[in-house]
Amino acid sequence: MEYLDIYDEEGNHLGKEERSIVHKDALWHNTVHCWLYDLEGNVYFQIRADKGKLYTTASGHVQAGETIKEAFGREIEEEIGYKVDYNQAKLIEVVKFVMDREEEDGSIFKDRAFANVYACEFKRNLNKFDFDENELSGIVKINAKKTLEIITNENGEVLAEKCFKQNGKLEIEEKTITFTDFLVNTGETAIGKYGEVLQFIIDELNK
């Protein structure tokens, strides 16, 4: 059974609660959005298995008693099989995320999260990932600056490298990425969802 630390809307800690109750009762909790980038100017997106769209490198809930950076390291390792030095992760922003959706059984999933967005340098090759195919269908390595241009203009394309599994073996191929390849939920914009992350990475590389 998974427990999450819960908070009021101002971020004051109230205790902990079972994850299912957190989403049933719309309790505030922490999530972590994890991003990897390299010194060549690339950012790494996962391809969500359920959506077929580009999303964070990894993401998930922060478990009860866990620090944000510990959750960063755990989610990266669980989803893409890379053990990162999470102490090197840098905070980009904390976003209040609110979403309600109806589930197949008619219940309402209520999400009230402080989304902690962090980034960390990736120092290995694309073929070193060992990702969970239940979570994602691949990983895309893409130029951060060109990606920001596409998202800002809502148009254009960029050639990227896609890492995927075929018969259990990692393969890499070139893939053309366009604006419609990025996951954007109802009520969100691509620039609002990914703009700060991409600009942060570009600024880090220019230091």
Side-chain angles (χ1 to χ4, degrees):
M1 190 175 294
E2 184 179 3
Y3 282 85
L4 308 178
D5 286 315
I6 58 172
Y7 304 83
D8 63 22
E9 193 171 352
E10 284 68 50
N12 299 304
H13 186 248
L14 301 177
K16 67 179 183 179
E17 188 52 87
E18 185 183 342
R19 176 174 171 172
S20 61
I21 301 299
V22 167
H23 289 297
K24 177 177 176 290
D25 294 345
L27 303 176
W28 286 92
H29 58 286
N30 277 315
T31 61
V32 61
H33 289 195
C34 316
W35 291 92
L36 295 180
Y37 66 94
D38 61 36
L39 297 183
E40 295 176 351
N42 300 301
V43 60
Y44 294 77
F45 284 83
Q46 65 169 255
I47 306 173
R48 284 278 299 268
D50 57 346
K51 304 286 188 181
K53 299 280 188 177
L54 303 185
Y55 191 48
T56 57
T57 311
S59 60
H61 290 85
V62 179
Q63 298 175 353
E66 190 176 40
T67 69
I68 306 296
K69 286 190 175 184
E70 285 171 345
F72 180 98
R74 176 179 53 77
E75 289 292 345
I76 288 282
E77 188 168 7
E78 286 179 357
E79 293 191 14
I80 64 175
Y82 173 60
K83 195 170 176 117
V84 67
D85 181 1
Y86 58 78
N87 289 311
Q88 300 301 313
K90 296 181 180 180
L91 175 65
I92 300 175
E93 60 180 340
V94 179
V95 179
K96 279 187 174 182
F97 181 80
V98 177
M99 182 188 70
D100 294 336
R101 71 167 184 264
E102 185 175 353
E103 301 287 68
E104 291 182 0
D105 62 4
S107 64
I108 304 299
F109 180 92
K110 302 174 182 178
D111 208 357
R112 303 290 185 275
F114 300 106
N116 298 267
V117 186
Y118 278 77
C120 189
E121 181 187 343
F122 176 60
K123 300 180 180 179
R124 300 187 72 183
N125 297 321
L126 189 61
N127 61 5
K128 296 302 181 182
F129 291 124
D130 184 19
F131 55 84
D132 182 353
E133 292 180 273
N134 294 316
E135 294 277 350
L136 55 151
S137 59
I139 299 169
V140 169
K141 171 184 174 182
I142 183 171
N143 181 271
K145 189 173 182 180
K146 290 181 180 178
T147 303
L148 182 57
E149 290 174 0
I150 289 172
I151 287 174
T152 301
N153 298 326
E154 298 188 0
N155 194 20
E157 62 181 37
V158 59
L159 196 61
E161 289 184 82
K162 175 187 173 182
C163 174
F164 63 101
K165 286 185 178 179
Q166 187 166 309
N167 299 322
K169 182 181 177 182
L170 281 177
E171 303 283 350
I172 297 176
E173 67 179 14
E174 289 189 337
K175 178 177 175 62
T176 300
I177 300 298
T178 66
F179 177 71
T180 58
D181 287 316
F182 297 92
L183 177 62
V184 181
N185 296 311
T186 302
E188 296 179 330
T189 63
I191 192 66
K193 194 174 185 70
Y194 304 114
E196 286 291 331
V197 172
L198 295 167
Q199 189 60 60
F200 173 88
I201 291 170
I202 292 166
D203 292 343
E204 282 291 298
L205 297 170
N206 288 333
K207 285 184 177 179

